[in-house]
Structures are given as C-alpha cells and as structure tokens.
Amino acid sequence: MSNNTTERGSFTTKLGVIAATVGAAVGLGNIWKFPYTAGVNGGGAFIIVYLIFVLFLGLPLIMSEFFIGRNTGQNPRGAFRTLSKIKSWQAFGLLCFICPILILSFYSVVAGWTAEYLWLSVSGDLTGKSAQELSSLFQGFSQDPVRPIIWMILFLILTISVSLGGIKNGIERVSNILMPVLFLILLILAGRSLLLEGAAEGLRFMFQPDFSKITSKVILDAMGQAFFSLSVGMGALITYASYFKKETNLPQTAVIVAILDTTVAILAGIIIFPAVFTFGISPAQGPELVFITLPNVFNQMTGGQLWSILFFFLLAVAALTSTISMSEIVVTYMMEEYKLSRKKILLGLFVVCSILGSLCSLSLGVMNDIRILGRDIFSLVDFTASNILMTLGGASIVIFVGWFVNKEIIYQEMLQGSKMKRSFFAMYYYTVKYIAPVGLITILLSQFGLI
Ligand code: TRP
C-alpha cells in the first residue's frame, strides 16, 4: 500500500465489507447517543419515529450512497462530478468534508470518556460505589479541564496511527474480529438487565409509546439520530462503497447494515432503561446516561469488574472503528481532490480536531457559560453536524439520485452482485424520488422555522 499516491485499495471479502461497514455504522451513536436521546425525548414515541426514519429515509439513503460510491469509485465530490455536469452539485463535496471533521471532534471527546471508564474499570475505582457516587464521579471527570482532553488527544492519536496504515490492514482486521464479540457482550448484558427489578418499567418506557409526546423536536431528534447512527447524509458511505467490488451485493449489504445497526441501538436501550428505573436515575439525564447507569449494573453482577472492563474496551473499539472511518473519509477526499499526502492530511486533521474537541470538552465544564444559539459548544457542534448538515446532505443525495441520474443506470448498478427484483427497486426508487425529498425538505424548513 503506498501512502503518497491516490492509489486505491478495496475490501477483500464479503464478510469484510459487511463487518467494516457495520463497524463504521455501529459506534457511540448506538450505545451512548441513542439511549440518552431516546430518554430525553420520552422513550417509546421517539423510538417509533426513529424506526420509521430508518426504514423510509435511512435504508434508501444507504442504498443511494452505495450506488453513487461504487458506480463512480470516487470520493463524494468526484462522484458527483462524474455523475452530473452541473457544477453546483460539487458543493455537496464540501459538506462531506466539513461534517466528518465536526463529528470527529466531539466524538473523540466521548471516545475519551470510554477510555477513562476502561481505565477506572481496570483500576477497580467503579466497584462498590453507590448510584449517587457514580453520578458525581462522572460530573467531576467530565467537567475537569485537563483529564478528558488528554484522553481525547490519545484517542485521536490512536485513530490517526491506524489511518496511516491504510484501509485494508487497519479497519478490516480490527472490525472483523471485535464487532461480533461486542454484539455477544451486549446480548449478555441485556439478559442481565432484564433480571433487574426495574425491567418491566424500563421496557414499558421504551416500547409503550405515548403519542401525545411526539413534538417537532422529537421528530427532528429522531431523524438526526437515525442519520447519525447509520452514518448517512455526509458521504461516508459513498466513500466506503467506492472501495466495494463489483460482486458486492448492494441492496443486501444495505439491509444488513440497517438491521444490525438498529438492533445494537435497541439492545443498548434494553440494557440501559431497566437499570435507569432500578437505580432511580432520570431517563432524561442527558449525555452522561450510559456512564452513570452501566457501572451500577456491573456492580450487581458476579464478576462485575471483568464485565465492566470488557464492555468499556469493546465500546472504545466500536468508537475507534467509527473514528477511523471518519478520518478515512477526509483522507480519501483530500488525497483525490487536492493531491495531498496521507501524512499531511492526517496531521492537519489531528490539529483541527484537537482544538475543536478541546473546546467541546471544556464547554461541559469551565466554559459552560458560553452559549451560542442557546447551546454550549459541544451540543452546538453535534447539532450543526447531525441535525443540519446531515439533513442537508441527505436531501442532496436523494434529490440527486432521484432527479439527476438516469434510472436505468441505478438499476443496473444495483443488479451487479445482486438479483434485486424490479418491484423492490421500484419501491426504493419512488421513495428516493418522492417520499424522501418531501420529508427531508419539510424537516429542513421546519428546522429553520420557515413552516
Ligand atoms: N454511525 C456512527 C455511530 O453511530 C457515527 C458516525 C456518524 C460515523 N457519521 C459517521 C461513523 C461517518 C463513521 C463515518 O457511532
């Protein structure tokens, strides 16, 4: 693998494709963000809206990004240039470049938290503490001006070192082995959580929707969460699919990714909500929810410390496979569009993300007074990326694929490596052409207060 040219590798095996794509999709979004966003938004009603978005927007978007990426074999900007002569579509490329940088910045902060919790698990500092003590422990840590930033920077260094090794060696090997292990651990933890006293209440909170709770904020948050979790709307999957082979079955891979990603999110909910109600924690606690809930569960388990170590290790790995793919998107983009070397790009990315990430981290503690549009910096960066840029990106992708690309080209690409039925294709196509754009534009307009 050469580092300084734009020479492209590709994924080697079918399982490798799925494992790596799932590795990019499954991450802190499923295990940290989904439960707390569901909690803040009242549980069941949010989850129903979320599932509708996964099916009607998420899945068609995954397929569309796969189509664009594999058909052109290029980064998002190059891909749009190849498929359409209209120059303004390339502006989309810029979005695909800014979005992962913003996400990587606040994501690394939370990834750093998982590293701290892994450390605390190993040292035994989480063992034997009450729910109250665990809560103040997290507050103290996350508001500290130094410690979370050190972890964040270490995490960024790790990400960038793996990225330096190139796509095949780094991502594929790690995620092939560890993703299934993570899944297994989640199943075991879900089983344990369901034995807790608060299990029934937790499940009711998740699965008994109170439709009066659906507000425009719930809808927006559910969509932002669906996009974030599936990694759609920012060209990530265009970049990934540009490394797919012609034999890769696009519709099937898309369905598998959507199902696995959603399963992991729901499993995380099944682990967390029973514990929330058992230990008297508020489900609407916010970003700290996972970090103050799970150590309580581990404390109740035989061999809890070992489970805790295993869990935070795997969560850190899940975060790592996601941060690697974010950095890979930026690298592919800059290498192909600006002919810069991998090393230079990664160095630049490190500097930018360390600064922005530090600001995000500090905004939870000493810089909490600084509010922009009513938000602290951390949640502003998250909101800009997940709710504004990804919605814009998603709208661009469906409008582009539905209205600016010849339908037959899309169908033929989908048929490579699959036996997609015409009727399934028709359903996909009409969703992309009509339903998704109308839905996304409505949401965007309401976001800006225009309707
Ligand atoms: N889907 C990832 C998660 O749930 C986060 C993510 C968003 C992401 N956009 C991405 C990961 C782009 C890789 C590439 O944690």
Side-chain angles (χ1 to χ4, degrees), residues 20-34 50 99-100 103-104 106-107 225-237 240 261 318-319 321-329 386 390:
T21 318
V22 173
V26 172
L28 297 171
N30 310 61
I31 296 166
W32 159 73
K33 204 165 187 246
F34 175 81
Y50 175 82
C99 207
I103 296 182
L104 185 54
F106 76 86
Y107 204 89
Q225 175 58 28
F227 279 25
F228 185 85
S229 189
L230 296 168
S231 322
V232 294
M234 51 184 281
L237 298 178
Y240 253 59
D261 187 77
T321 52
S322 293
T323 53
I324 292 166
S325 42
M326 288 173 215
S327 99
E328 209 55 48
I329 295 161
S386 321
M390 288 171 104

Coordinates of all heavy atoms in Angstrom, one line a residue, residues 20-34 50 99-100 103-104 106-107 225-237 240 261 318-319 321-329 386 390, ligand 1:
A20 N -16.8 -4.2 8.0 CA -16.2 -2.8 8.1 C -17.3 -1.8 8.0 O -17.2 -0.7 8.6 CB -15.2 -2.7 6.9
T21 N -18.3 -2.0 7.2 CA -19.4 -1.0 7.0 C -20.2 -1.0 8.3 O -20.6 0.1 8.8 CB -20.3 -1.3 5.8 OG1 -19.5 -1.7 4.8 CG2 -21.1 -0.1 5.4
V22 N -20.5 -2.1 8.9 CA -21.2 -2.1 10.2 C -20.3 -1.5 11.3 O -20.8 -0.8 12.1 CB -21.6 -3.6 10.6 CG1 -22.1 -3.6 12.0 CG2 -22.6 -4.2 9.6
G23 N -19.0 -1.8 11.2 CA -18.0 -1.1 12.1 C -18.1 0.4 12.1 O -18.0 1.0 13.1
A24 N -18.3 0.9 10.9 CA -18.4 2.4 10.7 C -19.7 2.9 11.3 O -19.8 3.9 11.9 CB -18.3 2.8 9.3
A25 N -20.8 2.1 11.1 CA -22.1 2.5 11.5 C -22.3 2.3 13.0 O -22.8 3.2 13.7 CB -23.2 1.7 10.7
V26 N -21.9 1.2 13.5 CA -22.1 0.9 14.9 C -21.0 1.6 15.7 O -19.8 1.4 15.5 CB -22.1 -0.6 15.2 CG1 -22.1 -0.9 16.7 CG2 -23.3 -1.3 14.5
G27 N -21.4 2.4 16.7 CA -20.4 3.1 17.5 C -21.1 3.7 18.7 O -22.1 3.2 19.2
L28 N -20.5 4.8 19.1 CA -21.1 5.6 20.2 C -22.5 6.0 19.9 O -23.3 6.2 20.8 CB -20.2 6.8 20.5 CG -18.8 6.4 21.0 CD1 -17.9 7.6 21.0 CD2 -18.8 5.7 22.3
G29 N -22.8 6.2 18.6 CA -24.2 6.6 18.2 C -25.2 5.7 18.8 O -26.3 6.1 19.2
N30 N -24.9 4.4 18.7 CA -25.9 3.4 19.1 C -25.9 3.2 20.6 O -27.0 3.1 21.2 CB -25.5 2.0 18.5 CG -25.3 2.0 17.1 OD1 -24.4 2.8 16.6 ND2 -26.1 1.3 16.3
I31 N -24.7 3.2 21.2 CA -24.7 2.8 22.6 C -24.7 4.0 23.6 O -25.3 3.9 24.7 CB -23.5 1.9 22.9 CG1 -23.7 0.6 22.0 CG2 -23.3 1.5 24.3 CD1 -22.4 -0.2 21.9
W32 N -24.2 5.1 23.2 CA -24.2 6.3 24.0 C -25.3 7.2 23.6 O -26.1 7.7 24.5 CB -22.8 7.0 23.9 CG -22.8 8.4 24.3 CD1 -22.9 8.9 25.6 CD2 -22.7 9.5 23.5 NE1 -22.9 10.3 25.6 CE2 -22.7 10.7 24.3 CE3 -22.5 9.7 22.1 CZ2 -22.6 12.0 23.7 CZ3 -22.4 11.0 21.5 CH2 -22.5 12.1 22.4
K33 N -25.4 7.6 22.3 CA -26.3 8.6 21.9 C -27.8 8.2 21.8 O -28.7 8.9 22.2 CB -25.8 9.2 20.6 CG -26.3 10.6 20.3 CD -25.5 11.2 19.1 CE -25.8 12.7 19.0 NZ -26.5 13.0 17.7
F34 N -28.0 7.0 21.3 CA -29.4 6.5 21.2 C -30.1 6.5 22.5 O -31.2 7.1 22.6 CB -29.4 5.2 20.4 CG -30.8 4.6 20.3 CD1 -31.7 5.0 19.3 CD2 -31.2 3.6 21.2 CE1 -33.0 4.5 19.2 CE2 -32.5 3.1 21.1 CZ -33.4 3.6 20.1
Y50 N -38.2 7.0 15.2 CA -36.8 6.6 14.8 C -36.9 5.5 13.8 O -36.2 5.5 12.8 CB -36.0 6.2 16.1 CG -34.6 5.7 15.8 CD1 -33.6 6.6 15.6 CD2 -34.4 4.4 15.8 CE1 -32.3 6.1 15.3 CE2 -33.1 3.9 15.5 CZ -32.1 4.8 15.3 OH -30.8 4.3 15.0
C99 N -18.5 17.9 7.6 CA -19.3 17.1 8.5 C -18.4 16.1 9.4 O -18.5 16.1 10.6 CB -20.4 16.5 7.8 SG -21.8 16.1 8.7
P100 N -17.6 15.3 8.7 CA -16.9 14.3 9.5 C -15.9 15.0 10.4 O -15.6 14.5 11.5 CB -16.1 13.5 8.5 CG -16.4 14.0 7.1 CD -17.5 15.0 7.2
I103 N -17.9 16.0 13.4 CA -18.3 14.9 14.2 C -17.1 14.3 15.0 O -17.2 14.0 16.1 CB -19.0 13.8 13.3 CG1 -20.3 14.4 12.8 CG2 -19.3 12.5 14.1 CD1 -21.1 13.4 11.9
L104 N -16.0 14.1 14.2 CA -14.8 13.5 14.8 C -14.4 14.3 16.1 O -14.0 13.7 17.1 CB -13.7 13.5 13.8 CG -12.4 12.8 14.2 CD1 -12.6 11.4 14.7 CD2 -11.4 12.8 13.1
F106 N -16.3 16.1 18.4 CA -17.0 15.9 19.7 C -17.0 14.4 20.0 O -17.1 14.0 21.1 CB -18.4 16.5 19.7 CG -19.5 15.8 18.9 CD1 -20.2 14.8 19.5 CD2 -19.7 16.2 17.6 CE1 -21.2 14.1 18.8 CE2 -20.7 15.6 16.9 CZ -21.5 14.5 17.5
Y107 N -17.0 13.6 18.9 CA -17.0 12.1 19.1 C -15.7 11.6 19.9 O -15.8 10.8 20.7 CB -17.0 11.5 17.7 CG -17.6 10.1 17.6 CD1 -18.9 9.9 17.3 CD2 -16.8 9.0 17.6 CE1 -19.5 8.6 17.2 CE2 -17.3 7.7 17.5 CZ -18.6 7.5 17.2 OH -19.2 6.3 17.1
Q225 N -30.8 11.4 14.8 CA -30.2 10.2 15.4 C -30.1 9.1 14.4 O -29.1 8.4 14.3 CB -31.1 9.8 16.6 CG -30.6 8.5 17.3 CD -29.2 8.5 17.8 OE1 -28.6 9.6 18.1 NE2 -28.5 7.4 17.8
A226 N -31.2 8.9 13.6 CA -31.2 7.9 12.6 C -30.1 8.1 11.6 O -29.3 7.2 11.3 CB -32.5 7.8 11.9
F227 N -29.9 9.3 11.2 CA -28.8 9.6 10.2 C -27.5 9.4 10.8 O -26.6 8.8 10.2 CB -28.9 11.1 9.7 CG -30.0 11.2 8.6 CD1 -31.0 10.4 8.5 CD2 -29.9 12.3 7.7 CE1 -32.0 10.5 7.5 CE2 -30.8 12.4 6.7 CZ -31.9 11.5 6.6
F228 N -27.3 9.9 12.0 CA -26.0 9.8 12.7 C -25.7 8.4 12.9 O -24.5 7.9 12.6 CB -26.1 10.5 14.1 CG -24.8 10.6 14.8 CD1 -23.9 11.6 14.6 CD2 -24.5 9.6 15.7 CE1 -22.7 11.7 15.3 CE2 -23.3 9.7 16.4 CZ -22.4 10.7 16.2
S229 N -26.6 7.6 13.4 CA -26.3 6.2 13.7 C -26.0 5.4 12.4 O -25.1 4.5 12.5 CB -27.5 5.6 14.4 OG -27.2 4.3 14.9
L230 N -26.7 5.6 11.4 CA -26.5 4.9 10.1 C -25.3 5.5 9.3 O -24.9 4.9 8.3 CB -27.7 4.9 9.3 CG -28.9 4.1 9.9 CD1 -30.2 4.4 9.0 CD2 -28.7 2.6 9.9
S231 N -24.8 6.6 9.8 CA -23.7 7.3 9.1 C -24.1 7.7 7.7 O -23.3 7.7 6.8 CB -22.4 6.5 9.0 OG -22.1 5.8 10.1
V232 N -25.4 8.2 7.5 CA -25.8 8.6 6.2 C -25.9 10.1 6.1 O -26.0 10.8 7.2 CB -27.1 8.0 5.7 CG1 -27.0 6.5 5.5 CG2 -28.3 8.3 6.7
G233 N -25.9 10.6 4.9 CA -26.1 12.1 4.7 C -24.9 12.9 4.7 O -24.9 14.1 4.8
M234 N -23.7 12.3 4.8 CA -22.5 13.0 4.8 C -21.4 12.4 3.9 O -20.3 12.7 4.0 CB -21.9 13.1 6.2 CG -21.8 11.8 6.9 SD -21.3 11.8 8.6 CE -19.6 12.1 8.3
G235 N -21.9 11.5 3.0 CA -21.0 10.9 2.0 C -20.0 9.8 2.6 O -19.2 9.3 1.9
A236 N -20.2 9.5 3.9 CA -19.4 8.5 4.4 C -19.5 7.2 3.7 O -18.5 6.5 3.3 CB -19.7 8.2 5.9
L237 N -20.7 6.8 3.4 CA -21.0 5.5 2.7 C -20.7 5.6 1.2 O -20.4 4.6 0.6 CB -22.4 5.0 3.0 CG -22.7 4.8 4.4 CD1 -24.2 4.4 4.6 CD2 -21.8 3.7 5.1
Y240 N -17.1 4.8 1.4 CA -16.9 3.3 1.7 C -17.2 2.5 0.5 O -16.4 1.6 0.1 CB -17.8 2.9 2.9 CG -17.1 2.7 4.1 CD1 -16.3 3.7 4.7 CD2 -17.1 1.4 4.7 CE1 -15.5 3.5 5.8 CE2 -16.3 1.2 5.9 CZ -15.5 2.2 6.4 OH -14.8 2.0 7.5
D261 N -27.4 -2.3 12.8 CA -27.2 -1.0 13.5 C -28.4 -0.7 14.4 O -28.2 -0.3 15.6 CB -27.1 0.1 12.5 CG -26.7 1.4 13.1 OD1 -25.6 1.6 13.5 OD2 -27.6 2.3 13.3
A318 N -15.5 0.0 19.3 CA -16.5 0.4 18.4 C -16.4 1.9 18.1 O -16.6 2.3 16.9 CB -17.9 0.2 19.1
A319 N -16.0 2.7 19.0 CA -15.8 4.1 18.8 C -14.6 4.3 17.8 O -14.6 5.1 16.9 CB -15.5 4.9 20.1
T321 N -13.5 2.2 15.5 CA -13.7 1.8 14.1 C -14.5 3.0 13.4 O -14.4 3.2 12.2 CB -14.6 0.5 13.9 OG1 -15.7 0.6 14.8 CG2 -13.7 -0.7 14.3
S322 N -15.3 3.7 14.2 CA -16.1 4.8 13.7 C -15.1 6.0 13.4 O -15.2 6.6 12.4 CB -17.2 5.2 14.6 OG -18.2 4.2 14.6
T323 N -14.3 6.3 14.4 CA -13.4 7.5 14.2 C -12.4 7.2 13.0 O -12.1 8.1 12.2 CB -12.6 7.8 15.4 OG1 -11.9 6.7 15.9 CG2 -13.4 8.4 16.5
I324 N -12.0 5.9 12.9 CA -11.1 5.6 11.7 C -11.8 5.9 10.4 O -11.3 6.5 9.5 CB -10.7 4.2 11.8 CG1 -9.7 3.9 13.0 CG2 -9.9 3.8 10.5 CD1 -9.5 2.4 13.2
S325 N -13.1 5.5 10.3 CA -13.7 5.7 9.1 C -14.0 7.2 8.8 O -14.0 7.7 7.7 CB -15.0 4.9 8.8 OG -15.7 4.8 10.0
M326 N -14.3 8.0 9.9 CA -14.4 9.4 9.7 C -13.1 10.0 9.1 O -13.1 10.8 8.2 CB -14.7 10.1 11.0 CG -16.1 9.9 11.5 SD -16.3 10.6 13.1 CE -17.4 9.4 13.8
S327 N -12.0 9.6 9.7 CA -10.7 10.2 9.2 C -10.4 9.7 7.8 O -9.9 10.4 7.0 CB -9.6 9.9 10.2 OG -8.8 8.8 9.8
E328 N -10.8 8.4 7.5 CA -10.6 7.9 6.2 C -11.4 8.7 5.1 O -10.9 8.8 4.0 CB -11.1 6.4 6.2 CG -10.4 5.5 5.2 CD -8.9 5.5 5.4 OE1 -8.3 5.4 6.5 OE2 -8.2 5.7 4.4
I329 N -12.6 9.2 5.5 CA -13.4 10.0 4.5 C -12.6 11.2 4.2 O -12.5 11.6 3.0 CB -14.7 10.3 5.2 CG1 -15.5 9.1 5.4 CG2 -15.5 11.3 4.3 CD1 -16.6 9.3 6.4
S386 N -25.1 16.8 13.0 CA -26.2 15.7 12.9 C -27.5 16.2 12.4 O -28.2 15.5 11.7 CB -26.4 15.1 14.3 OG -25.2 14.9 15.0
M390 N -26.2 16.9 8.1 CA -26.6 15.6 7.6 C -28.0 15.6 6.9 O -28.2 14.9 6.0 CB -26.5 14.6 8.7 CG -25.1 14.3 9.1 SD -24.9 13.2 10.6 CE -24.5 11.7 9.9
Ligands
TRP1 N1 -22.6 6.0 12.9 C1 -21.6 6.3 13.9 C2 -22.1 5.9 15.3 O1 -23.2 5.5 15.4 C3 -21.2 7.7 13.9 C4 -21.0 8.3 12.6 C5 -21.6 9.4 12.0 C6 -20.0 7.9 11.6 N2 -21.1 9.6 10.8 C7 -20.1 8.8 10.6 C8 -19.0 6.9 11.6 C9 -19.3 8.7 9.4 C10 -18.2 6.8 10.5 C11 -18.3 7.7 9.5 O2 -21.4 5.9 16.2

